[in-house]
């Protein structure tokens, strides 16, 4: 029998279950994935609006990347 043996309030000896081995840590935490996903959406919206307002494609891409980049630290502090 593996695990620790402990005594309960009535003096009975019980064993706790053996700890289960943990798998590898996830590549991204849920917090990081949500922040990056929302940043991508913000970047797509900013780039799309820039393009629809008559801007060049390069300007729209640059606006989208800038908006996504600036939104990451803000989202990181807001979503906690």
């Amino acid at each position: 029998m593996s695990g620790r043996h402990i005594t309960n309030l009535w003096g009975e000896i019980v064993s706790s279950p053996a700890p289960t081995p943990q798998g590898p840590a996830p590549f991204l935490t849920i917090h990081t994935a949500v922040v990056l996903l929302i940043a991508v959406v913000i970047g797509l919206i900013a780039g799309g609006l820039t393009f629809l307002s008559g801007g060049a494609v390069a300007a729209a891409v640059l606006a989208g990347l800038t908006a996504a980049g600036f939104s990451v630290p803000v989202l990181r502090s807001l979503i906690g």
Side-chain angles (χ1 to χ4, degrees), residues 11-70:
E12 301 168 336
I13 296 176
V14 294
S15 62
S16 63
T20 57
Q22 296 291 330
F27 182 69
L28 289 176
T29 63
I30 297 293
H31 180 264
T32 304
V34 168
V35 166
L36 291 177
L37 179 65
I38 295 173
V40 166
V41 170
I42 289 172
L44 287 173
I45 291 171
L49 289 175
T50 303
F51 179 73
L52 291 175
S53 70
V57 174
V61 169
L62 187 60
L65 289 174
T66 303
F70 279 130

